[in-house]
Amino acid sequence: MIVILVVVLVIALGDSDESTTPAPGETNTDMTPQEATQEPRGERADLTSFQLDDRSEAGITSIWVVWELKNSSSEKSNYSWDWEAVDASGTRLTNGSQLETDVQPGQTARGEYPTTLKTVKGVKLNITSFNRTASH
């Protein structure tokens, strides 16, 4: 009985929560070596890039989230995902939802969306949910 309890506790404590995952991106210096080697699985892997783009100039702040996804399924698909931007202490600075519709098999879709962020320094993007559904 004690062995079963210990095994259950080890499994429960060792189970990773995938409710938020780091957003894929070209450069993310905030990732640990373990996170850097983890590959997204399943439909989530279709989101090949999701990152911040600082377009600020002349004292005007303009920070966007930009993404690229590639439909790896065999059917036309709709994608929706929720994201959050957090600072180094884990405080949520902003969040949003994105939608791409009618992406053909093998097709790549790119998009962008403005944010209310004032800086990208120390900011990390997390995907909090991701869904792919068949488009009819």
Side-chain angles (χ1 to χ4, degrees):
M1 182 66 138
I2 293 175
V3 172
I4 294 171
L5 179 60
V6 170
V7 170
V8 169
L9 284 174
V10 169
I11 290 171
L13 293 174
D15 190 24
S16 67
D17 178 12
E18 293 188 31
S19 60
T20 62
T21 58
E26 311 270 321
T27 57
N28 188 345
T29 57
D30 295 337
M31 288 194 302
T32 65
Q34 180 184 8
E35 289 172 329
T37 59
Q38 286 181 326
E39 291 294 320
R41 292 179 211 108
E43 62 191 30
R44 170 67 174 76
D46 285 3
L47 185 62
T48 57
S49 176
F50 188 68
Q51 57 195 15
L52 294 171
D53 183 14
D54 189 353
R55 302 174 185 176
S56 303
E57 59 181 66
I60 299 172
T61 303
S62 178
I63 300 172
W64 295 64
V65 292
V66 294
W67 64 86
E68 179 177 292
L69 37 86
K70 184 172 183 175
N71 185 350
S72 63
S73 75
S74 61
E75 57 190 3
K76 184 168 61 169
S77 300
N78 296 328
Y79 294 87
S80 63
W81 66 98
D82 297 323
W83 58 272
E84 66 181 0
V86 297
D87 65 15
S89 67
T91 301
R92 180 186 280 180
L93 303 172
T94 190
N95 65 317
S97 298
Q98 304 308 139
L99 178 66
E100 280 289 339
T101 59
D102 301 324
V103 183
Q104 298 292 333
Q107 186 178 38
T108 297
R110 293 178 182 89
E112 56 187 29
Y113 189 78
T115 73
T116 58
L117 293 169
K118 302 298 181 206
T119 183
V120 296
K121 186 175 181 173
V123 176
K124 180 179 173 186
L125 284 176
N126 293 320
I127 305 297
T128 56
S129 72
F130 189 87
N131 295 298
R132 178 180 72 199
T133 57
S135 174
H136 300 282

